[in-house]
Amino acid sequence: MDHFEYRDGVLHAEDIPLPQIAEEIGTPVYVYSRATLERHAQVFADALKDIPKKHIAFAIKCNPNLGVLRVLARQGYGADVVSGGELERALAAGMAAEDIVFSGVGKTRAELALGLDRGIGQFNIEHEPEGVALSEIAVGKETTARAVLRVNPDVDAGTHAKISTGKAENKFGVGIDAAPAIFDRLSALPGLKMRGVALHIGSQLTSLDPLEAAFARVGRLVAELRAAGHSITHVDLGGGLGVPYRPEDNPPTPAEYGAMVARVTKDWDVTLMFEPGRVIAGNTGVLLTEVLWVKPGAVSPFVIVDAAMNDLARPALYDAYHDFVAVRPTGEKMTASIVGPVCETGDTFARDRVIDKVAAGDLAAFRTAGAYGATMASTYNSRSLVPEVLVDGDRYVTVADRIAAGTIMAAERVPDWID
Ligand code: LLP
């Protein structure tokens, strides 16, 4: 459920007609709905009602906009961060340091030190040398880092290869068989409080089965670690729940996920940690765009829009599907390929798809663009960096400015030794 609806034939974000935003801010522009964001955050939290001890950390990589983060902070969400930049964003948005979890396969020593200086709640250690480094830095600062060891359960998440993270051949975590010995050694280090384990097997998961298989493996590992004398108080189950991109998609609901987690983990007696991203933010945003031209093609016409792969990279990167709808649909349909202005064929949002009939000058929206949309934008082809707007009922604010191509160019220089 979301709050992007047609009223009098015009697509609205809550009470704001999208043409008003196009007129005032220009296109392309991401538009988020606060009510939708809050609803998803609430639905996910409600789905975990049977879990006695829990902590929810929004995976801010999927939408790190400060306005968005502030909404989630007010809902009681913490943050899962993967860089110093994300860490500072979470704090700037009002998230408490102790509610921040630091994940990521390549944290630098400077980032580990930053996490300690800011007093974050937990480091998710990806391999032994990182744990050793964290221990050394913590000792140097006369502090203790709370940490868990990320394990790789070797489970096929059944998602796109580029966003699958829990197979043995992926770069993430330590092999689950090697985990007990590594955990032993890290636990003996000063400055490090090893308190549990973490996993994350992939994103846009459309079945609970791989998650359940991975959680069961981690449950056995927890028992093994306890048998070896370790105190295990936290298990971080990661994120990964998929969202419907196509009308016919039917991924597991948060309630089904929560029930499965409660069942599988009922005897664990730990604080369970969650890192949802897409399931919270995906449906809360659209990318609003204007049709520039409709050009005849050999197979079907090209609808050339003013958004491009630099604004929404998912179709080019993962062949991802984003629904495309007219802001003022006439009821007529056409078969077309939807493309952006960037000079490569990869800049294609859809091939030969049946869509609302549109003409040059019409507005249209890519749906389900609130997660991994603006955050992955670039300025390729010297295009501006796409702006973001947050709607709240009948008001809205530009929560990220359009950064003009000229501003980007102003940060460059020609060496004076090139004449
Ligand atoms: N925790 C960790 C350690 C992660 O690496 C991720 C996502 C998440 C949580 C959140 O996963 P989610 O709940 O959003 O599935 N750019 C790709 C997705 C990359 C996901 C990376 N890791 C896309 O556009 O599909």
Side-chain angles (χ1 to χ4, degrees):
M1 215 219 89
D2 61 53
H3 293 265
F4 295 94
E5 285 167 355
Y6 289 96
R7 292 189 197 164
D8 299 326
V10 179
L11 188 58
H12 282 58
E14 304 192 17
D15 297 332
I16 303 283
L18 290 182
Q20 184 184 336
I21 293 176
E23 171 98 0
E24 290 174 11
I25 312 295
T27 54
V29 56
Y30 279 91
V31 181
Y32 307 130
S33 151
R34 175 181 179 175
T36 311
L37 186 61
E38 287 179 339
R39 180 170 187 281
H40 286 312
Q42 191 60 50
V43 164
F44 191 84
D46 288 350
L48 304 177
K49 63 183 182 317
D50 293 335
I51 291 160
K53 291 178 284 179
K54 60 192 165 249
H55 177 265
I56 310 178
F58 176 59
I60 78 172
K61 63 171 78 69
C62 85
N63 192 325
N65 180 272
L66 285 180
V68 167
L69 295 186
R70 175 64 61 91
V71 170
L72 292 173
R74 289 174 59 94
Q75 297 276 113
Y77 273 58
D80 166 51
V81 304
V82 294
S83 68
E86 286 195 349
L87 176 47
E88 299 290 27
R89 272 175 181 275
L91 292 170
M95 284 158 170
E98 73 234 34
D99 288 335
I100 297 178
V101 174
F102 202 159
S103 302
V105 73
K107 302 179 207 73
T108 63
R109 283 169 187 271
E111 287 174 324
L112 294 172
L114 178 72
L116 287 170
D117 290 343
R118 299 286 186 263
I120 64 160
Q122 177 174 299
F123 293 84
N124 290 8
I125 295 176
E126 290 263 353
H127 70 152
E128 191 169 353
E130 184 193 6
V132 172
L134 181 59
S135 156
E136 286 165 9
I137 299 166
V139 168
K141 292 181 180 293
E142 294 177 12
T143 184
T144 300
R146 285 163 296 217
V148 300
L149 181 62
R150 179 169 179 180
V151 297
N152 185 325
D154 193 19
V155 166
D156 185 350
T159 187
H160 192 284
K162 287 186 186 168
I163 54 176
S164 177
T165 51
K167 287 282 288 167
E169 65 264 31
N170 296 142
K171 67 181 174 181
F172 300 97
V174 300
I176 196 157
D177 295 336
I182 296 173
F183 200 96
D184 262 350
R185 292 194 290 272
L186 290 179
S187 296
L189 296 180
L192 212 50
K193 169 87 190 80
M194 294 300 296
R195 63 182 196 180
V197 290
L199 78 160
H200 170 78
I201 63 168
S203 194
Q204 183 57 14
L205 307 189
T206 52
S207 161
L208 293 179
D209 296 346
L211 284 169
E212 182 164 350
F215 296 168
R217 279 179 201 185
V218 164
R220 290 195 288 277
L221 174 64
V222 168
E224 191 179 338
L225 292 171
R226 282 181 172 154
H230 296 295
S231 161
I232 302 297
T233 56
H234 290 73
V235 176
D236 186 335
L237 298 179
L241 207 53
V243 300
Y245 282 101
R246 294 177 164 84
E248 67 272 22
D249 283 353
N250 196 17
T253 63
E256 289 163 345
Y257 171 81
M260 181 277 282
V261 170
R263 176 167 50 77
V264 175
T265 65
K266 68 177 184 315
D267 299 324
W268 289 13
D269 187 25
V270 293
T271 297
L272 285 180
M273 307 180 71
F274 299 88
E275 300 172 354
R278 188 185 324 256
V279 72
I280 306 296
N283 281 333
T284 67
V286 301
L287 173 58
L288 181 60
T289 186
E290 184 182 316
V291 177
L292 297 175
W293 310 98
V294 178
K295 177 184 170 185
V299 181
S300 56
F302 293 105
V303 169
I304 305 172
V305 295
D306 67 358
M309 64 188 285
N310 69 297
D311 304 306
L312 176 62
R314 303 192 67 257
L317 268 180
Y318 320 114
D319 288 321
Y321 182 102
H322 284 268
D323 217 0
F324 177 85
V325 295
V327 166
R328 290 192 182 90
T330 60
E332 279 185 272
K333 298 284 177 186
M334 68 194 287
T335 299
S337 291
I338 307 161
V339 299
V342 162
C343 297
E344 57 180 280
T345 301
D347 187 20
T348 297
F349 293 107
R351 275 181 205 88
D352 307 321
R353 193 191 286 180
V354 178
I355 57 170
D356 291 335
K357 186 161 189 197
V358 286
D362 288 352
L363 293 171
F366 291 102
R367 304 292 310 260
T368 323
Y372 306 109
T375 183
M376 292 172 66
S378 75
T379 58
Y380 184 39
N381 273 213
S382 290
R383 291 167 52 85
S384 303
L385 200 58
V386 63
E388 299 162 84
V389 160
L390 181 65
V391 175
D392 176 22
D394 60 2
R395 60 184 174 176
Y396 72 87
V397 161
T398 304
V399 287
D401 292 340
R402 188 185 310 282
I403 299 181
T407 306
I408 308 278
M409 189 169 67
E412 299 174 21
R413 61 200 55 80
V414 177
D416 58 11
W417 35 259
I418 301 177
D419 46 19

